[in-house]
Amino acid sequence: MGEKKISKNNAVCGAVFVFYAVLTLIGALNHELWFDEAQAWTIARDNTISGIFRQLGYEGHPPLWYLILYIFSHLGFECTVIPLISWFITAAAAAVVMFKAPFHIVTKSAVLFSGGFLYFNSVMSRVYCLINLFAVLIAWLYPKRKEHPILFGLLIALLANTHICISGFIGIMGIFMITDLFRGFKTNSPRQNAAEIAGLAVSGAGVLLMVLPLLNSLSLNSSTSKNNYTFNVIVSSALESFSNISMSLIEYGDRNLFMYIISGTLAIIFIAEFILMRHKTRPFLVLLFFCIFYIITSGIFWYTIPNRAHIFILMFFITAWTAEYEPCNNAGRMWSEINTKIETRVIKKIIDFIRRSDEGFKRSFNIIMTLILIIPIPTGVYFLFRDYVKPFSPSETAAGYIKENFPENSVFITGDKIAPFLSAYLPEYNFYSLDYGEFYTYCCHKKLPENISYQKIYNDLKNCENIYFLNAYVEIDFIQSNRNIIYSIRDGIPFGVNIRYIEISEFDLEKEIGRLIPE
């Protein structure tokens, strides 16, 4: 009977996984690159490894995703492989969740279809797909980490080199590795101690590899260096963090009262989940450190987008997974003591409800966690199916038109930082930034020079035979074309910094630049 039950459960898990994998694979095969996806690819393709590390100071990201893309780009793959990379990585993570996570199949299915796994961190190809994989592998290995300390340390090191928002989780896990080592040092065998020290060293090396390239990111990056981090800004950003995360999870159109109600409810649920986790000391500390550093990095110094908001959800799930193997403390005892001192009937019932939730906190936590995972499903489904039928970005369509109608080695003059959208698809074409006065294929994020030498721009371009002006806009209200338009495309989903409108027009070097050169 037990074997039949296990077999039936695996069959259902397998069916859910196959359906999920096929659904997202179709999405990956149809996805067009937007700015952040193309930016990472062009940095990896057009740099040496040392050049990638130099650029990371401006990007503010650890190196692992860029190194993976470096391998594929230098093996001759085209940029269209990127969504397939993220799909494969997240599908592997999904398989671990479905077949290894110690939760009800409804909860595990909710993870796969919650939006992060369904679209934002699988079909959309960014570094967050690696967080999906390494986080679930760490949770899976967690109860056997003492048996495989080097492998556990390696997973911590790999996760550290994905995104800075995960640094709180990495830090507290490292602290626990150190305390476990000291606690068992006298009773462990020399071989076990050596293995744990080696695992700790591997994870420490991974943290150093993450930190060193990013030491000056806040001052180097042209966007973050402009931010004014006053006390009021920091406090208000921190207080708004849960609501901003919640809104990023459900937003797929114009904001309305219904969305605000749902996001507010989600924010309260997050806090309730956090409070319930206090019954497990280590997982509670993991969740606390993760939330603090997430809010600092993605709520104060930067901003929340759906990709990172879904990582926020995922870490609640990962923490609950590790909590399965940790002992309970006596955090719920106080409600019984308080209840005996309360005389008001209504308050007594409320406290009694809280007490029962505390006593069955594991069930309460899992129910709430499943609810958190289910609420954003419509948003993920909406974006996935919209990406099926409508280009997410006009990049691939515009690149196809350029290939058919413009000769190779043509130069496209841009007045802003838009080259990655097209240069990812068009390595044989040239792009020139009037902002920086240089050829480029990816946004450098450097501060703009105080003075642009028009003579240098003229000298750079005077021997180029085919020069065109390329402009791009996020919103149609920004379009201010006054040149002879050769090509125009207006398409794409309004999302973040995604370009929706592209125009190519005539560019007369003498008229545009020559007249600006002092005689």
Side-chain angles (χ1 to χ4, degrees):
M1 181 68 71
E3 292 180 1
K4 288 183 178 180
K5 185 176 181 180
I6 293 173
S7 178
K8 183 179 178 180
N9 185 65
N10 284 339
V12 174
C13 288
V16 171
F17 170 75
V18 170
F19 177 70
Y20 161 82
V22 172
L23 199 64
T24 50
L25 177 59
I26 296 172
L29 291 170
N30 284 278
H31 183 66
E32 299 82 11
L33 304 186
W34 67 303
F35 178 86
D36 285 3
E37 296 166 306
Q39 170 80 351
W41 177 262
T42 49
I43 288 173
R45 184 193 66 194
D46 299 333
N47 271 305
T48 61
I49 291 179
S50 61
I52 290 173
F53 275 87
R54 284 194 297 271
Q55 181 61 26
L56 291 180
Y58 296 95
E59 295 298 307
H61 294 307
L64 184 57
W65 180 239
Y66 299 89
L67 296 178
I68 291 173
L69 297 184
Y70 175 87
I71 294 171
F72 280 89
S73 62
H74 285 76
L75 286 175
F77 286 90
E78 296 183 353
C79 66
T80 50
V81 76
I82 310 178
L84 296 177
I85 297 172
S86 60
W87 169 82
F88 179 82
I89 291 171
T90 303
V96 176
V97 169
M98 287 307 298
F99 294 104
K100 298 299 179 181
F103 298 103
H104 192 276
I105 191 170
V106 173
T107 303
K108 296 190 289 187
S109 299
V111 173
L112 269 61
F113 296 96
S114 63
F117 272 64
L118 184 65
Y119 182 76
F120 291 104
N121 296 328
S122 56
V123 173
M124 286 184 65
S125 186
R126 296 196 64 194
V127 65
Y128 306 107
C129 64
L130 295 174
I131 299 179
N132 289 342
L133 179 60
F134 296 138
V136 300
L137 288 176
I138 286 172
W140 181 24
L141 188 62
Y142 187 79
K144 297 183 179 180
R145 64 193 183 281
K146 300 286 285 185
E147 300 173 28
H148 308 284
I150 297 176
L151 178 57
F152 189 76
L154 178 61
L155 290 174
I156 294 292
L158 291 171
L159 183 61
N161 281 276
T162 56
H163 197 278
I164 196 71
C165 74
I166 211 74
S167 55
F169 179 86
I170 297 299
I172 192 64
M173 281 295 185
I175 291 173
F176 289 154
M177 291 173 72
I178 293 172
T179 57
D180 286 344
L181 174 64
F182 280 103
R183 187 177 298 162
F185 197 82
K186 292 182 178 180
T187 57
N188 290 339
S189 66
R191 183 175 181 178
Q192 176 66 24
N193 286 332
E196 290 190 29
I197 292 171
L200 189 60
V202 169
S203 62
V207 171
L208 285 177
L209 187 63
M210 172 196 72
V211 170
L212 293 178
L214 308 182
L215 289 176
N216 297 317
S217 287
L218 286 178
S219 59
L220 289 175
N221 187 285
S222 58
S223 299
T224 54
S225 62
K226 297 176 183 177
N227 292 343
N228 184 22
Y229 300 112
T230 64
F231 177 78
N232 289 338
V233 169
I234 292 173
V235 172
S236 63
S237 297
L239 293 176
E240 294 170 359
S241 56
F242 280 111
S243 60
N244 289 337
I245 292 166
S246 301
M247 182 60 76
S248 292
L249 292 170
I250 63 170
E251 188 173 13
Y252 56 89
D254 296 333
R255 296 187 176 187
N256 52 48
L257 180 60
F258 176 74
M259 285 189 177
Y260 282 111
I261 293 173
I262 295 298
S263 66
T265 303
L266 257 177
I268 294 171
I269 292 173
F270 274 126
I271 295 171
E273 191 86 334
F274 186 83
I275 293 172
L276 277 174
M277 184 53 79
R278 78 192 192 283
H279 291 272
K280 302 270 187 146
T281 303
R282 277 198 172 191
F284 175 78
L285 291 175
V286 169
L287 204 55
L288 176 65
F289 271 67
F290 166 74
C291 288
I292 289 173
F293 279 86
Y294 179 94
I295 290 169
I296 292 172
T297 57
S298 298
I300 297 175
F301 289 120
W302 205 226
Y303 52 86
T304 290
I305 58 175
N307 311 73
R308 288 193 283 272
H310 282 284
I311 292 301
F312 190 83
I313 289 183
L314 175 66
M315 296 315 297
F316 274 76
F317 174 75
I318 295 301
T319 306
W321 191 338
T322 61
E324 291 287 313
Y325 312 108
E326 293 288 347
C328 289
N329 54 40
N330 295 319
R333 183 180 296 173
M334 67 174 185
W335 295 113
S336 296
E337 298 174 357
I338 293 175
N339 208 25
T340 58
K341 300 177 183 178
I342 298 295
E343 296 182 0
T344 306
R345 183 176 297 179
V346 174
I347 297 178
K348 202 175 185 69
K349 286 184 177 180
I350 292 173
I351 293 177
D352 191 54
F353 172 77
I354 296 173
R355 179 186 59 78
R356 289 197 305 270
S357 298
D358 262 343
E359 290 174 351
F361 90 93
K362 179 180 174 181
R363 182 172 178 271
S364 302
F365 188 96
N366 289 343
I367 290 173
I368 295 175
M369 180 179 64
T370 305
L371 181 62
I372 289 175
L373 291 164
I374 288 174
I375 288 176
I377 287 178
T379 304
V381 172
Y382 169 82
F383 273 97
L384 179 65
F385 282 94
R386 186 167 179 179
D387 204 351
Y388 283 171
V389 300
K390 185 177 181 180
F392 184 83
S393 164
S395 54
E396 188 171 18
T397 304
Y401 179 87
I402 289 171
K403 282 185 177 181
E404 293 178 3
N405 296 278
F406 296 86
E408 291 187 7
N409 296 320
S410 294
V411 178
F412 293 94
I413 307 299
T414 63
D416 49 13
K417 305 168 183 178
I418 64 170
F421 285 98
L422 295 175
S423 64
Y425 291 98
L426 302 169
E428 63 274 23
Y429 291 80
N430 300 302
F431 296 84
Y432 192 87
S433 170
L434 294 180
D435 294 330
Y436 293 93
E438 60 187 23
F439 288 96
Y440 76 127
T441 58
Y442 56 85
C443 176
C444 64
H445 291 303
K446 295 186 297 188
K447 296 177 182 178
L448 289 172
E450 294 182 3
N451 297 303
I452 294 290
S453 170
Y454 293 107
Q455 184 64 58
K456 179 184 181 303
I457 293 174
Y458 186 85
N459 292 338
D460 287 344
L461 300 175
K462 65 182 179 180
N463 295 322
C464 300
E465 295 183 4
N466 303 289
I467 309 176
Y468 307 93
F469 192 86
L470 189 151
N471 217 337
Y473 311 91
V474 176
E475 297 293 342
I476 195 168
D477 294 339
F478 296 161
I479 296 179
Q480 299 175 352
S481 301
N482 56 6
R483 296 178 172 83
N484 295 323
I485 304 299
I486 300 172
Y487 171 73
S488 178
I489 181 171
R490 300 180 179 185
D491 212 342
I493 297 174
F495 177 85
V497 293
N498 191 25
I499 294 298
R500 299 181 65 196
Y501 311 102
I502 292 177
E503 291 185 347
I504 299 174
S505 56
E506 295 178 355
F507 186 88
D508 187 324
L509 182 61
E510 295 293 339
K511 181 180 178 181
E512 301 281 354
I513 303 297
R515 64 184 177 82
L516 299 174
I517 299 175
E519 296 183 359

